[in-house]
Amino acid sequence: METAAILFFYLCITLSFVKSASGRNIEWWASDKSISQNADRNPCVEDYSPCNCNDNPSYGLEITCEGVDVLVVRDIFSRTTTNDLFSFQLTVPSPTGGNVISIPADLLNGKRAGNILLNCPFLDWQLAIDADAFRPSSDLTFFFFTAGCDLTLLDFASFLDGFLSLATIFISQSSNVQGIQNLPALPSLDQLIVTYTTGLEKVTDFSRLGNVQLRRLLLNGNQLSDQMADNILNSVASSSSAAGALEMLWLANNQLTRVPTQLTSFSRMIQLDLSNNSFPVLSSGSFSFNAPVDYLYLESNTINSIEPGAFQGDFTRGRIYLRFNSLSRFEEAVFRPLLEQMISATNNDGGLVNLESNPLECGDCHLAWLIRDSPSLLNAVESAVCSDGTAFSALNPSIFADCPKDFLRKVLPFSSTSMIRAAILHTTHFDFNMRVFNCFFQVLSLGLLLTAVVADVARKYDDNVDDVRPAKALLNNKGAHFGRGIRRIPSPKEACPEDYSPCTCQQTPSGLEISCVDIPVDQIANVFYRTQTLELYQVVLTASGSPLGTVDLPADLLKDKRVQRIYLGCPPTANPKLGLTIDSATFEFTRFTTTVFGILNCDLSTQTDMQYLNGFSVLNTLRIDDSNNIEAIATLPTTTLPSLKKLFVVNCTGLENAAFPDLTPARLLRLHLEGNGLTDAGVNNILVSVGSSSSSSSLQELVLSNEYVMTKIPRIASFSNLVWYDVSFNAIPYVSQSTLVFSSPVNYLNLKSISLGAIEGGAFLGDYGKAQVNLENNSLTEFREDVFKTMLEQMAAQRPGEGGKVIVTGNPFDCGCGLAWLIRDNPSLVSHILNGVCGGFFKFEDLNPESYADC
């Protein structure tokens, strides 16, 4: 991980509260403006080479030293004069002998740094820090970070002693962190983050945690057992001041088998994440909150039963995420009290219960209380779908007409249950098939629609083929894994109820689709002023430019209309691209309806913020394509976009320099960043932000292809549910050990055309049993046992036809003894290799095992 990425992460998650801590006396914190509004960097006056220096006008100097010897670092600071730095970031150099990296006393030669960030490229490098290494910074430093190091030798008690302003300690992807039990007195510490790190299990005494007033304790991915979690939480709960301060607790991706019993001790707790553990039953009183709940994440915990009273407290605005569990019932005694609180909220900011991907049974009377008797409560239920594919919202209340009012205390005879199930299936069969198919289509091709709609504005929709993009776009490797020509059942078109000219209108099964192509903005506004239909399915706006060469969208452009899908485009033939500006109230009245929003072919340099998306509470997909100067993405109002699942930025400029937003509370499933010219540092900045957000445990698909200037594969250990990773068409000559570590079974890994010449043993870790691993068109000459054997054995262990494949077309493999392990010793694995050729034309499957007898 590039150290430059870490500073951005810190700014995203801590800037909101670090200014309020006492004793900072740092001039750059005086401004209340977000870092995203001050992302520009200026060259420094003094020469810090071979380190890099940026002058952040809002905060000060940012010094980054990549692999620079510590003695050289000390010399740099002896010849430079700036005393107070905003940040000092060091990727430690290679050890001169052994594997110990020592940071000497007074490394910065008397200078001070507000942020100190230390990174090791390899996990077996042991980091040792002299007690006085950063002593002059003790009254200034508020953030300390280290990643990728073996911390066996790190004496926290000595080198952090007296750091009275230190607010955050963040340790990630490291080993042997047990020395953290010796933390000195740190009166300002309010955030401790230890993620995907080993050593906590060796800590015997967490009592010092009771001496600090942590607001945030984040311990994701540390393989904590129930007992280890108890030891930590008991230490916090034992102190009334510490227990009364904790607001956020993350224990996701550990090995918990029960809900911690200490939660009731934390009187200010409002955010809790226990995702990706394993506790099938939530008993009464499991979650008893004293403060109004903000978020409760219980995803992927194998939950199959919830007892009444499991959730207690104020959930009026709380969001409970129960996705990817095994719930078959939605019981009144459990959920009615919650839902009634949630719908009572004012200003449309009530909470919700998300039930995505649970096998909910709807064929008996246990849902009558909701569907028939209290349908208004459905407004607080999200992504609830019956096991037969029918959404709760599509269930007809009449099918529960014969259900008793007190079904919770009675059991229906089997015949009645069967009759209701049959009625449901009979009533919803046709509509259900359409819904399932449309849902499948949206997942596969929604990301392509914007290009189809706007890139060629003269095209007409073909209602029988959803992917209508020009073939050239598909051949450019963008979205190549989306099915092409996905078809849906045709339906007859109906006449639109009103005249939308000069725009065009189509009546589709989903609703009205309005397209305004090359039409002045004032005429577009007039169309929506004189038409009456309030609910529209889709609006495509490619307005003609003003005399100044801009497209300026005014407030309430749609005249109170509500639209599910909005696509904005600028004429693709314009050169340079037309500037697009969007008033913060342009789409104000559709913010509770719009699920898809896209922008294509525009220059966004004059769009200084994205407040036009503020409050889009059901927005599922955001896409920006072929646009310039998109730095305003830093201002994306993510706190009001809780439903965002898919974010696509394709062929845009400005992303490299933008401060990528913290996506919390959204739980992204797909993040596609393609062709944006991102460097390694730029990509890492983005992934650190995403990995530190609520999307770290939800992201399933990550695409970083067509960047061409990326030289390293970003590590992905923070993303526990990632199954699809694409870094194709970059310039990555080498893959090191433990680079590709997956926590969930891999579906697809694309390393095609990245100039790859070598892969280190142990680079691929995880379950690759059913994966498609694409290594086409690289420069590999070795097919090594320590790289591929485990992966191929996993694939061979699957049922016939289900095992994965390693695709190696176009690699110049050598036919020598390096293949003996495969051809002679493990010939059964060859069938899981596609297009393996050595010596220019010898196929792997045609090689004679006997020719390797002497190897």
Side-chain angles (χ1 to χ4, degrees):
M1 182 185 301
E2 298 287 345
T3 50
I6 311 307
L7 174 59
F8 174 76
F9 159 79
Y10 157 65
L11 291 170
C12 281
I13 68 169
T14 63
L15 185 59
S16 60
F17 61 86
V18 74
K19 290 182 286 188
S20 63
S22 60
R24 296 286 187 267
N25 296 321
I26 304 171
E27 181 179 354
W28 47 74
W29 290 121
S31 172
D32 286 331
K33 295 183 178 179
S34 164
I35 182 62
S36 63
Q37 296 172 302
N38 299 279
D40 295 333
R41 303 291 189 271
N42 299 320
C44 297
V45 175
E46 296 184 279
D47 178 18
Y48 283 83
S49 60
C51 297
N52 295 320
C53 176
N54 287 312
D55 187 359
N56 186 315
S58 298
Y59 304 112
L61 297 190
E62 302 169 347
I63 310 300
T64 303
C65 302
E66 297 283 347
V68 180
D69 186 87
V70 291
L71 297 179
V72 175
V73 171
R74 192 154 53 182
D75 178 68
I76 291 171
F77 288 100
S78 68
R79 59 179 167 80
T80 52
T81 60
T82 302
N83 285 321
D84 289 352
L85 313 171
F86 178 55
S87 69
F88 169 72
Q89 309 170 61
L90 172 66
T91 297
V92 299
S94 300
T96 54
N99 65 337
V100 177
I101 302 295
S102 297
I103 306 298
D106 198 16
L107 177 65
L108 304 183
N109 199 53
K111 310 303 190 298
R112 307 189 306 168
N115 301 267
I116 297 174
L117 305 100
L118 305 175
N119 181 55
C120 299
F122 299 99
L123 192 58
D124 60 349
W125 289 10
Q126 294 188 339
L127 181 65
I129 303 177
D130 187 274
D132 296 318
F134 302 105
R135 186 60 51 202
S137 298
S138 61
D139 60 347
L140 179 68
T141 299
F142 46 85
F143 179 80
F144 175 79
F145 176 92
T146 184
C149 304
D150 183 334
L151 305 181
T152 303
L153 303 178
L154 196 59
D155 185 355
F156 289 85
S158 63
F159 88 92
L160 287 180
D161 186 39
F163 276 60
L164 303 181
S165 299
L166 186 63
T168 299
I169 296 176
F170 186 176
I171 301 169
S172 180
Q173 300 182 49
S174 297
S175 62
N176 296 307
V177 74
Q178 55 268 23
I180 200 169
Q181 68 180 333
N182 298 318
L183 278 178
L186 300 170
S188 298
L189 188 67
D190 63 0
Q191 181 167 242
L192 177 62
I193 307 171
V194 182
T195 61
Y196 300 96
T197 292
T198 66
L200 285 178
E201 72 279 2
K202 301 175 184 177
V203 176
T204 58
D205 181 10
F206 284 97
S207 61
R208 298 200 179 191
L209 287 179
N211 298 326
V212 294
Q213 296 186 31
L214 293 175
R215 290 179 56 201
R216 300 181 178 185
L217 180 59
L218 280 59
L219 301 173
N220 287 358
N222 300 309
Q223 302 303 302
L224 295 178
S225 66
D226 293 321
Q227 186 59 57
M228 291 160 58
D230 282 344
N231 293 342
I232 296 171
L233 298 182
N234 283 336
S235 297
V236 179
S238 64
S239 166
S240 59
S241 60
L246 193 63
E247 298 177 1
M248 176 189 291
L249 176 63
W250 288 5
L251 290 168
N253 298 286
N254 283 294
Q255 296 179 346
L256 305 183
T257 62
R258 56 177 169 78
V259 177
T261 59
Q262 299 83 0
L263 299 180
T264 55
S265 300
F266 307 131
S267 59
R268 297 182 62 185
M269 175 81 71
I270 59 174
Q271 295 190 10
L272 176 63
D273 189 349
L274 297 177
S275 300
N276 292 91
N277 287 287
S278 180
F279 29 83
V281 178
L282 300 183
S283 58
S284 180
S286 292
F287 301 100
S288 181
F289 290 86
N290 298 301
V293 180
D294 195 355
Y295 304 105
L296 175 58
Y297 292 112
L298 300 172
E299 301 177 349
S300 301
N301 280 319
T302 67
I303 299 170
N304 58 48
S305 177
I306 304 177
E307 296 180 0
F311 305 104
Q312 299 178 22
D314 183 359
F315 285 85
T316 304
R317 291 174 173 79
R319 295 173 179 269
I320 303 176
Y321 291 92
L322 289 162
R323 293 183 286 205
F324 307 108
N325 282 298
S326 302
L327 291 172
S328 60
R329 300 177 70 80
F330 193 69
E331 301 284 7
E332 179 178 10
V334 175
F335 292 102
R336 178 185 282 278
L338 295 173
L339 301 182
E340 288 179 341
Q341 288 185 48
M342 292 168 177
I343 67 167
S344 71
T346 58
N347 299 323
N348 296 298
D349 60 347
L352 59 82
V353 177
N354 185 293
L355 295 167
E356 181 181 350
S357 298
N358 280 275
L360 295 161
E361 291 297 330
C362 303
D364 60 27
C365 282
H366 90 276
L367 284 178
W369 71 272
L370 178 65
I371 307 301
R372 181 194 64 192
D373 302 334
S374 304
S376 63
L377 298 182
L378 283 170
N379 292 326
V381 181
E382 182 176 73
S383 302
V385 178
C386 305
S387 59
D388 67 2
T390 307
F392 276 22
S393 58
L395 292 172
N396 191 333
S398 64
I399 62 178
F400 299 100
D402 296 330
C403 293
K405 292 288 186 180
D406 56 348
F407 179 72
L408 287 173
R409 295 182 296 276
K410 294 183 179 181
V411 179
L412 280 178
F414 178 77
S415 58
S416 299
T417 302
S418 301
M419 181 174 63
I420 291 173
R421 182 185 301 274
I424 292 174
L425 294 177
H426 177 75
T427 303
T428 63
H429 178 71
F430 178 77
D431 288 340
F432 157 61
N433 285 337
M434 286 295 295
R435 280 192 300 274
V436 170
F437 193 89
N438 287 338
C439 178
F440 180 63
F441 149 66
Q442 289 175 9
V443 169
L444 291 177
S445 62
L446 186 57
L448 308 181
L449 181 59
L450 178 58
T451 308
V453 170
V454 190
D456 186 355
V457 296
R459 294 176 67 110
K460 299 292 185 182
Y461 285 113
D462 178 351
D463 283 343
N464 297 321
V465 181
D466 287 315
D467 184 357
V468 295
R469 296 196 310 165
K472 181 179 179 181
L474 286 167
L475 294 175
N476 195 28
N477 199 53
K478 292 185 291 183
H481 56 282
F482 295 140
R484 192 175 175 201
I486 303 294
R487 294 181 178 272
R488 63 178 179 229
I489 299 172
S491 58
K493 290 188 176 66
E494 300 176 15
C496 290
E498 300 178 86
D499 177 16
Y500 283 84
S501 61
C503 301
T504 61
C505 172
Q506 289 187 351
Q507 175 76 62
T508 72
S510 299
L512 294 186
E513 298 182 358
I514 312 300
S515 297
C516 302
V517 176
D518 198 23
I519 296 171
V521 171
D522 59 342
Q523 293 187 32
I524 293 174
N526 181 61
V527 167
F528 291 103
Y529 176 78
R530 58 180 169 78
T531 52
Q532 303 300 313
T533 304
L534 288 176
E535 302 288 343
L536 305 174
Y537 175 62
Q538 177 173 289
V539 169
V540 178
L541 304 178
T542 307
S544 56
S546 70
L548 297 177
T550 61
V551 176
D552 305 306
L553 303 185
D556 196 16
L557 175 65
L558 303 181
K559 304 306 176 186
D560 301 356
K561 307 304 188 295
R562 294 180 287 274
V563 188
Q564 291 186 42
R565 297 148 64 113
I566 298 175
Y567 300 110
L568 307 179
C570 297
T573 56
N575 188 14
K577 296 181 185 294
L578 295 188
L580 175 67
T581 61
I582 307 172
D583 188 273
S584 61
T586 295
F587 303 109
E588 179 179 6
F589 290 94
T590 189
R591 63 186 186 277
F592 303 124
T593 303
T594 300
T595 60
V596 180
F597 193 95
I599 297 175
L600 178 70
N601 274 328
C602 298
D603 185 331
L604 303 178
S605 57
T606 57
Q607 186 65 46
T608 57
D609 62 54
M610 297 186 71
Q611 288 305 304
Y612 53 85
L613 290 178
N614 188 43
F616 275 57
S617 58
V618 298
L619 186 67
N620 174 279
T621 301
L622 174 61
R623 180 156 192 153
I624 306 175
D625 283 72
D626 298 300
S627 295
N628 294 342
N629 302 304
I630 67 165
E631 287 88 349
I633 196 172
T635 67
L636 189 67
T638 52
T639 58
T640 69
L641 303 176
S643 301
L644 190 65
K645 301 293 187 299
K646 304 165 192 173
L647 177 59
F648 303 85
V649 181
V650 179
N651 291 341
C652 294
T653 66
L655 190 60
E656 171 76 15
N657 299 319
F660 201 79
D662 182 345
L663 297 171
T664 304
R667 306 282 279 183
L668 276 191
L669 298 178
R670 298 169 65 186
L671 176 62
H672 285 218
L673 305 174
E674 306 175 55
N676 301 303
L678 293 174
T679 63
D680 296 321
V683 169
N684 278 314
N685 283 344
I686 293 170
L687 295 190
V688 168
S689 177
V690 178
S692 65
S693 74
S694 53
S695 293
S696 63
S697 60
S698 63
L699 191 67
Q700 298 178 10
E701 185 173 311
L702 177 60
V703 177
L704 298 168
S705 62
N706 295 281
E707 297 300 342
Y708 298 105
V709 290
M710 275 175 53
T711 63
K712 302 175 183 177
I713 296 179
R715 295 180 184 267
I716 52 175
S718 297
F719 305 115
S720 57
N721 275 316
L722 194 70
V723 299
W724 188 297
Y725 192 28
D726 184 350
V727 294
S728 59
F729 294 93
N730 284 292
I732 305 172
Y734 181 73
V735 178
S736 60
Q737 184 180 22
S738 301
T739 294
L740 293 159
V741 182
F742 288 86
S743 301
S744 295
V746 184
N747 184 329
Y748 183 70
L749 174 61
N750 193 359
L751 306 177
K752 178 179 180 179
S753 300
I754 61 173
S755 304
L756 185 60
I759 305 174
E760 189 175 12
F764 304 105
L765 298 178
D767 181 356
Y768 288 81
K770 297 181 180 181
Q772 297 293 312
V773 180
N774 192 337
L775 288 160
E776 291 182 279
N777 301 330
N778 283 299
S779 303
L780 294 172
T781 58
E782 298 179 293
F783 196 82
R784 291 170 44 174
E785 180 177 11
D786 59 348
V787 174
F788 293 105
K789 184 178 180 181
T790 299
M791 176 190 295
L792 293 172
E793 287 176 337
Q794 291 176 345
M795 295 173 175
Q798 308 303 312
R799 292 187 298 183
E802 293 185 0
K805 301 289 184 182
V806 180
I807 308 168
V808 293
T809 310
N811 284 274
F813 292 113
D814 182 80
C815 292
C817 283
L819 285 176
W821 73 270
L822 177 68
I823 306 303
R824 181 193 64 194
D825 303 335
N826 296 280
S828 63
L829 301 182
V830 175
S831 61
H832 292 279
I833 305 169
L834 292 183
N835 302 324
V837 174
C838 67
F841 54 90
F842 297 104
K843 296 181 179 180
F844 282 10
E845 56 266 33
D846 294 337
L847 294 175
N848 188 347
E850 295 181 1
S851 63
Y852 293 90
D854 297 330
C855 290

